[in-house]
């Protein structure tokens, strides 16, 4: 990057807003997927939409690729810098701009932390529903980029369900307002495609969120089973009974052990642990909880515990949410995988994973969002043992192939990013990917926004970028617009 | 206009490809119930009916998903799902005729939206036939999936201007065990809105909640679903706020509407003040203004008011001198760029959409 461009950036952002020495940029070399690292040319930390626009205009003029970054907790390398590019950190744009309780909406800047959204409205009995396990540190902007989920999206939906509108700076610096405070803004559902686009369609600078009234009552049931098979059968029973719990989570022996070691959640030792949370009116939760317990008993549970208060409930969740990080207690290294299957394929994929694990001589711990078929297998390995890392990567990848074979997806919430882009061609056919690329080209014809991510190989956008061409009959005055 | 009724998606693709090459404009249709929505097409050469592609391809009831061809009627789909005690939680107009593809393309949702979200929140996969004959799948068959762009959302409400939906996959919900409707009466819309906002701030969770008004006298209706005990307890809570009486399901009959209105829940009364006609507004802020009693100047006036406070008014039926969509925002160039990339020759429903797209 030339000194000229750096000084332009400095003029826009001031000394607090620009980092360009390798030492200081070390933090930005990677996100939470640490085996990929790229040193950026510069990191900018804008404090306003105008600064983001000014930076992207320079990028556009100079053809410099850029990568937007929130808290850097992403698990697929979405915020990994691009060679020769800059990182746009939104961490300093963290104001809550508007809270509208009457209409159950908020407007926040992208750097606001997920839990801080709820914290701001909790006193009036509201919360922000998407709850990724990293919610105490991850940012709304990152949640938007990844369409973050969480344990409770079974009932409440994903980030995309809770984003009503977005202020976005496009790759050429243009500012647009997608969606609206109100529903069904006329035109294409741009928030629908922007949320989950992994930073490839622009940079969000304001987000209008929906907030939800806290349910009257929340109760969590823990049920211990001999294996994940019985636990899985109980989940099927719950779904077949016509219930939609707020969350259904499952953990296997290894995951339970790790969570126990880390936070002493007091889980019963067993082969398959089910965690079912119901919420709603007290009277309804009470009735349905009895039904859930009956289904668990019918499937051979050895122990049932129903939370008696919020404290007990929080402890149960603490164990679950700590499960990934807790793996460090069982193994020096591990890969967090994220795949999805139709829920009914669970027994089949678990037994196949068991065989793969045995064949590779590697332990696999399992944590699932069992209600929606989202698996998080954790492949444990030791980098110091030659060949193990490679074997672990292969095993993790084979699990994704199994997910595809079962009619599922290579990612349920962590995103494609850098890590899984080579798997996209296994999940989608070439015309599918080419069609998605048309969308990308409409937003960013020069491929500057996080250009090397999501798709298996760089794609050019071809001719006719950007400009709208009127149809000949318009020119002839035979049809008019507006 | 020539009519074609393909039976397979490759036939759809072939028809589109040929029309695209020869510069013909294609008007996709399902049951033909909403062809009068949107602006009049600038050109119309081929009527492409999906009516014969009407199979429910896979009802994976244990996974709570269904994959269905675009020409299947909503009623037929719901009957299939009901066989396993499930439903697609939307209630669009004219379900006996309206097809899955048409309902998705026009984004016609009903009163269940309050609890279950819109079509955008329920559609998880779609196969599209593009104007150049490309067949593209996107999304998938699992509820949770963030691999690639969410094109099913892009084509929801796109009026077929980006591609023809040939099949779609939805997440399903269990049918409610019990339901109950209650109604409250108010002398003024302003008072009804005050009560509505109080109800929204409670912990009761109706499946649907709406105001029916002629600008003065107003009814508030609530639909409760779930267990007997849960419904009873919620109605008790509601009664602490307002006097309600049990009502029939008829209160949810959608009116013969002239326009779809979108505003903030707190602005319903202000928006409809002086309305010369009747309206039904959902607690989501979405609603419908009756067609019979509201004339075009009235609608134009209403649109101005709604747009100035961040809302929108979209026609459900054409009116001379009134654009179907209203004033586009700063995203119009981007929307045109998307159209240009998907359908550069303007083959699909030209001129029907926002900003002449």
């Amino acid at each position: 990057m030339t000194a000229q461009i750096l000084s332009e950036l400095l003029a826009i952002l001031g000394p607090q807003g620009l980092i360009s020495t390798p030492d200081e940029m070390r933090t930005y070399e990677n996100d939470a997927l640490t085996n990929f690292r790229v040193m950026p040319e510069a990191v900018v930390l804008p404090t306003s939409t105008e600064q983001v626009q000014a930076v992207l205009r320079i990028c556009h003029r100079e053809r410099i690729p850029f990568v937007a970054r929130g808290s850097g907790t992403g698990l697929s390398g979405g915020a990994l810098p691009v060679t020769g590019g800059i990182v746009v950190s939104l961490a300093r744009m963290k104001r809550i701009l508007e809270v509208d309780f009457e209409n159950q909406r908020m407007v926040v800047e992208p750097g606001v932390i997920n839990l801080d959204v709820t914290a701001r409205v909790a006193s009036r009995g509201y919360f922000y529903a998407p709850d990724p396990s990293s919610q105490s540190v991850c940012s709304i902007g990152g949640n938007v980029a990844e369409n973050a989920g969480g344990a409770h999206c079974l009932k409440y939906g994903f980030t995309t369900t809770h984003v009503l509108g977005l202020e976005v700076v496009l790759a050429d610096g243009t500012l647009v307002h997608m969606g609206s405070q109100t529903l069904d803004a006329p035109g294409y559902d741009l928030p629908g495609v922007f949320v989950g686009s992994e930073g490839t369609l622009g940079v969000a600078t304001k987000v209008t969120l929906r907030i939800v009234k806290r349910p009257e009552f929340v109760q969590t049931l823990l049920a211990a089973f001999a294996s994940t098979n019985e636990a899985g059968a109980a989940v099927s029973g719950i779904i077949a009974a016509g219930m939609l719990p707020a969350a259904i989570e499952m953990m296997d022996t290894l995951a339970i052990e790790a969570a126990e070691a880390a936070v002493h959640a007091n889980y019963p030792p067993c082969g398959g642990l089910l965690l079912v949370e119901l919420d709603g009116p007290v009277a309804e939760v009470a009735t349905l909880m009895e039904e859930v317990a009956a289904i668990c008993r019918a499937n051979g549970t050895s122990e049932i515990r129903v939370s008696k208060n919020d404290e007990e409930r929080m402890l149960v969740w603490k164990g679950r949410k700590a499960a990934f990080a807790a793996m460090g207690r069982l193994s020096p290294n591990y890969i967090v995988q994220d795949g999805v299957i139709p829920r009914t394929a669970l027994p089949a994929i678990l037994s196949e994973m068991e065989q793969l694990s045995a064949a590779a001589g590697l332990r696999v711990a399992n944590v699932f969002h069992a209600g929606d078929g989202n698996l998080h297998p954790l492949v444990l390995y030791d980098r110091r043992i030659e060949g193990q890392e490679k074997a672990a990567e292969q095993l993790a990848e084979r699990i994704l192939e199994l997910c595809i074979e079962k009619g599922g997806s290579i990612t349920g919430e962590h995103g494609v990013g850098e890590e899984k882009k080579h798997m996209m061609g296994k999940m989608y056919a070439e015309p599918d990917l080419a069609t998605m690329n048309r969308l990308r080209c409409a937003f960013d014809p020069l491929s500057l926004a996080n250009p090397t991510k999501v798709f298996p190989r760089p794609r050019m956008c071809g001719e006719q970028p950007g400009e709208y061409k009127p149809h000949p009959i318009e020119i002839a005055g035979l049809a008019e617009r507006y | 206009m020539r009519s074609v009724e393909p039976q397979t998606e490759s036939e759809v693709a072939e028809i589109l490809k040929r029309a695209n090459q020869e510069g013909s404009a294609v008007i996709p249709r399902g049951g033909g119930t909403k062809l009068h929505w949107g602006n009049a097409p600038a050109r119309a050469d081929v009527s492409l009916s999906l009516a014969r592609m009407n199979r429910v391809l896979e009802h994976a009831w244990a996974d709570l998903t269904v994959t269905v061809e675009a020409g299947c009627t909503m009623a037929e789909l719901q009957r299939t799902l009901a066989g396993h005690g499930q439903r697609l939680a939307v209630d669009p107009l004219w379900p006996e005729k309206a097809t899955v593809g048409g309902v998705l393309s026009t984004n016609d949702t009903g009163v269940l939206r309050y609890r279950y979200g819109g079509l955008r929140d329920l559609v998880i996969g779609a196969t599209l036939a593009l104007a150049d004959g490309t067949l593209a799948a996107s999304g998938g068959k699992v509820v949770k999936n963030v691999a690639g762009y969410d094109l099913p959302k892009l084509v929801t409400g796109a009026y077929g201007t980006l591609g023809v939906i040939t099949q779609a996959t939805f997440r399903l919900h269990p049918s409610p065990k019990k339901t109950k409707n209650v109604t409250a009466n108010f002398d003024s819309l302003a008072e009804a809105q005050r009560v509505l906002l109080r109800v929204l701030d409670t912990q009761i969770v109706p499946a649907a909640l709406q105001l029916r008004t002629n600008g003065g006298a107003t009814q508030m209706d609530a639909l409760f679903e779930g267990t007997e005990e849960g419904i009873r307890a919620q109605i008790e809570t509601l009664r602490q706020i307002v006097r309600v009486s049990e009502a029939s399901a008829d209160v949810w009959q959608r009116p013969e509407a002239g326009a779809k209105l979108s505003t903030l829940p707190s602005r319903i009364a202000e928006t409809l003040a002086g309305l010369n006609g009747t309206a039904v507004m959902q607690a989501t802020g979405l609603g419908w203004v009756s067609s019979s009693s509201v004339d075009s100047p009235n609608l134009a006036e209403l649109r101005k008011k709604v747009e100035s406070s961040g809302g929108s008014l979209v026609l459900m039926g054409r009116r001379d001198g009134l654009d179907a969509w209203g004033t586009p925002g700063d995203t119009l160039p981007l929307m045109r760029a998307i159209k240009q990339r998907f359908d550069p020759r303007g083959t699909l429903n030209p001129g029907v959409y926002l900003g002449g797209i």
Side-chain angles (χ1 to χ4, degrees), chain A residues 413-464:
Chain A
E413 53 189 8
H414 296 175
V416 176
E418 178 70 19
E419 187 195 24
K420 293 181 177 174
K421 59 186 190 182
H422 65 289
M423 299 296 292
M424 283 289 276
K426 293 187 179 178
M427 180 160 165
Y428 293 110
E430 180 53 33
D432 309 342
L433 295 175
T435 301
M436 290 181 195
N437 196 51
R438 293 183 194 220
L439 185 78
R440 180 179 194 151
C441 289
F443 277 79
D444 176 22
L446 298 179
S447 294
L448 298 174
N450 215 3
T452 57
K453 313 290 174 60
V454 183
F455 294 98
R457 56 178 187 280
R459 286 159 192 268
M460 291 299 106
C461 289
E463 83 308 350
Q464 46 120 15

Side-chain angles (χ1 to χ4, degrees), chain A residues 126 177 184 188 200 343 409 481, chain B residues 62 145 149 201 260 330 356:
Chain A
Y126 286 87
H177 297 82
D184 288 1
Y188 299 131
T200 63
R343 206 182 35 71
S409 170
R481 304 204 173 243
Chain B
N145 173 17
Y149 297 138
D201 196 38
K260 169 172 155 179
D330 58 12

Side-chain angles (χ1 to χ4, degrees), chain A residues 102-105 126 146-147 150 153-154 158 160-161 175-177 180-184 186-190 192-193 197-198 200-201 213-216 239 241-242 244 281 283-284 287-288 340-344 369 372 374 407-413 415-416 424 427-428 431-432 435-436 438-443 455 461 463-466 468 471 473 481-482, chain B residues 42-43 61-64 107 113 120-121 130 132 134-139 141-151 153-154 157-158 161-162 171 173-174 177 197 200-203 205 225-227 229-231 233-234 260 262-266 284 286 310-312 314 323 325 328 330-332 334-342 345 353-357:
Chain A
E102 276 192 337
N103 296 299
Q104 308 182 348
R105 284 148 170 75
Y126 286 87
E146 302 297 315
N147 189 13
C153 54
L154 176 61
F158 318 95
T160 186
T161 314
L175 189 68
V176 293
H177 297 82
S180 158
Q181 296 262 348
T182 59
L183 297 182
D184 288 1
Y188 299 131
D189 184 357
L190 299 177
V193 289
S197 61
E198 306 195 32
T200 63
L201 300 182
K213 191 78 180 176
R214 273 216 184 278
E216 188 177 82
I239 301 282
L244 184 64
E284 183 154 312
T287 316
L288 294 179
V340 190
I341 50 163
R343 206 182 35 71
T344 46
H369 302 301
D372 48 29
N374 190 188
S409 170
I410 56 173
T411 170
E413 53 189 8
V416 176
M424 283 289 276
M427 180 160 165
Y428 293 110
D432 309 342
T435 301
M436 290 181 195
R438 293 183 194 220
L439 185 78
R440 180 179 194 151
C441 289
F443 277 79
F455 294 98
C461 289
E463 83 308 350
Q464 46 120 15
Y468 155 76
H471 193 276
I473 66 162
R481 304 204 173 243
Y482 305 116
Chain B
R43 298 170 292 131
W61 63 270
D63 290 315
L64 285 166
N107 187 24
R113 179 148 185 185
R120 74 187 295 282
D121 302 303
L130 305 190
D132 64 5
T134 300
L135 275 173
S138 58
K141 291 185 178 175
V142 283
V143 169
K144 214 168 170 186
N145 173 17
V146 295
Y149 297 138
D150 199 340
L151 299 186
K153 285 194 178 59
L154 184 67
T161 57
L162 299 177
R171 71 171 295 190
H173 285 86
K177 293 186 168 81
L197 293 178
L200 285 178
D201 196 38
T202 66
Q203 290 166 316
V205 278
E225 298 181 345
T227 63
E229 299 83 352
I231 292 173
Q234 292 185 77
K260 169 172 155 179
S262 180
T263 186
L264 290 170
S266 67
T284 54
L286 282 177
S312 60
V314 173
D323 181 85
W325 301 98
D330 58 12
T331 49
L332 185 59
L334 184 57
M335 291 186 191
R336 284 181 168 154
I338 295 171
K339 169 71 172 178
Q340 181 72 17
R341 292 283 175 182
F342 277 73
R345 307 192 64 181
Y353 208 48
L354 179 74
I357 290 173

Side-chain angles (χ1 to χ4, degrees), chain A residues 39-50:
Chain A
M39 182 61 78
E41 295 284 314
V43 176
V44 297
L45 298 112
T47 51
S48 69
T49 300
E50 293 73 23

Side-chain angles (χ1 to χ4, degrees), chain A residues 260-273:
Chain A
E260 268 310 303
V263 301
H264 310 292
N266 196 24
Y267 290 154
C270 62
L273 184 69

